[in-house]
Amino acid sequence: MSVEPEIGNLLAVETAHFRPSFPLQPGKIQRPLLPEDTLRRDRLLDWLGARSSCRVLYVVAEAGFGKTTLVADFARRSRLRTFWYRLDDGDTDGLVFLRYLIASCQSVDPGLLRRAATLLSENSVAPIRQETVLDAVLAEIDSLGEVPSALVLDDFHTVEEVQSIREVVERLISRAPKGLAVLIVGRRTPRLAVGVLRARGELAELTRHELRFDESETIRLFSESYHRPLESDVAHDLQARTEGWAASLQLVRTAVEGRSPGQVRAFVRSLSGAEGSLYDFLAEEVVAELHADLRQFLMRVALLEEIDPESAAIAASVPPALARRLIGEAQRLGLLSKGEGDVGTWRAHPLVRDFLRSHLEAEMGEAGIAELHRHLAGLLEPRSWRLAARHWAAAGEADEVRRVICSAVPAIIGTGDFTAAGDLMAHFPAPGPNPWYDIIHSRQLAAQGRHEEALAIGHQAEAAGASLAVDDPSFATASALNLLFLGVRGHDSEMRESAFAKLNPCDDPELSSIARSAALMCRAGEAGSLDAL
């Protein structure tokens, strides 16, 4: 990374006394020098500025979300005195950490932490102890807060497993003066003992959800920073595919350089994590560091649209308890995020899911993937007709897709999930008359306000059921519910009373209650009893 030249020159002089016994790498303690065209993200800069009085700030997301760029931009624009320390695998213990911490502070002001620095530069037969240096730092730490300051610990995930460094950081945080904020930047939430600070509101966290570019920022990024404005529909498609992932936007910028608007549009629409530069980035930066069990788990659950512990256990052939643990680990690493709707579900980023599926296909082959989809479909069908149908579809089992849709018509009516059913019906049309499909089609037409067409298809469903001698009780129920709905919407008393007569005597208390309520509602609207309704 580029660094501030004046800081580099100062550092060369002020840290010279460390070098005989411990050579320092100057780049680890210098704030990155950002290009002048770095996009100013005011909503995030304002967020950091408003919380700079907190004792601890976490900036946590997986690789490529612009964490370091954001914090470096905040440091150069704010009035905070900033001490920067980029950690890596070379930081092997608490004493190494303290050496770099002291050097970082003295690169900004040579007068800071002088006693601790002297301890490290003294020649002595006995080795210097970590505790001795830490006590000296803590004795002088108030000087770091004499003016508003921030200590940035970048790439903290690289030392997360080094217990001695975690202990040093926890003690520094507990003794940090009021004017010093500790910004911890990394790929996963640190396992530090900061529960008390969180409870007091002295800890703030910025995650991938806030860090990802929204559509307006994506448009500004390509227009103002990359000088390659995107047409509005292309920007919208790009946002949907990347979900504002900064690294993928940068890779797209490189890929579309010199292309015509039509070629850019085609590239964005075909954007995938299964090939090209995005694949290489994911392989090298996101998935390479995973242990084998977690990588294998993620590849298999990538087949799921909605990931929950039970479904994940089925997909990965692991016990539910292990599935829950691996989901938690993947979420902490930023590879899974909470689902948008259902509580207790997770999802992978679309480009990460493309990447994982391509790896799984390379490992299992197309036939193996299809067999896994069949296995999932059979196991998930009791829980969700929609998920089962989509897995049958992915396995290429058209007859099974149609069977699942037909058996789920009462549930589809009950939940109003006609869009999902309609999409599947469009891809897997019935080869002949299908009264179940007719019922769903009738409800879709009614939802569009096409009542006469809906009514015709509803009667067609009844006639087809009779001609095919469908004796499934659930078909009679679904048909009656559909006609009841159409009769109420169309103010057709004869139709609704006929449907009421079919539903009211059934053994299902919910269906008979629906029928009675619908009949009373219509009667109350005419001359009936509101009290009875």
Side-chain angles (χ1 to χ4, degrees), residues 374-389:
R374 292 187 193 97
H375 178 66
L376 287 169
L379 293 174
L380 290 173
E381 189 168 336
R383 298 181 53 208
S384 169
W385 73 268
R386 179 168 49 82
L387 295 178

Side-chain angles (χ1 to χ4, degrees), residues 42-63:
D42 288 316
R43 64 181 178 87
L44 297 180
L45 296 173
D46 291 345
W47 189 96
L48 289 170
R51 290 160 180 80
S52 59
S53 60
C54 290
R55 187 175 298 187
V56 181
L57 287 87
Y58 287 166
V59 181
V60 179
E62 58 263 44

Side-chain angles (χ1 to χ4, degrees), residues 116-139:
T118 301
L119 286 173
L120 290 173
S121 62
E122 286 177 348
N123 294 320
S124 173
V125 176
I128 188 71
R129 292 176 61 248
Q130 171 186 313
E131 196 65 25
T132 303
V133 179
L134 178 57
D135 287 343
V137 169
L138 295 178

Side-chain angles (χ1 to χ4, degrees), residues 139-157:
E140 299 178 275
I141 198 170
D142 286 342
S143 65
L144 303 185
E146 290 175 348
V147 298
S149 304
L151 168 62
V152 178
L153 302 178
D154 194 13
D155 284 345
F156 191 78
H157 60 276

Side-chain angles (χ1 to χ4, degrees), residues 187-206:
R187 297 184 183 180
R188 42 192 173 265
T189 302
R191 289 185 293 219
L192 298 172
V194 290
V196 173
L197 294 180
R198 193 184 295 275
R200 291 176 180 169
E202 296 180 13
L203 185 150
E205 188 166 1
L206 195 65

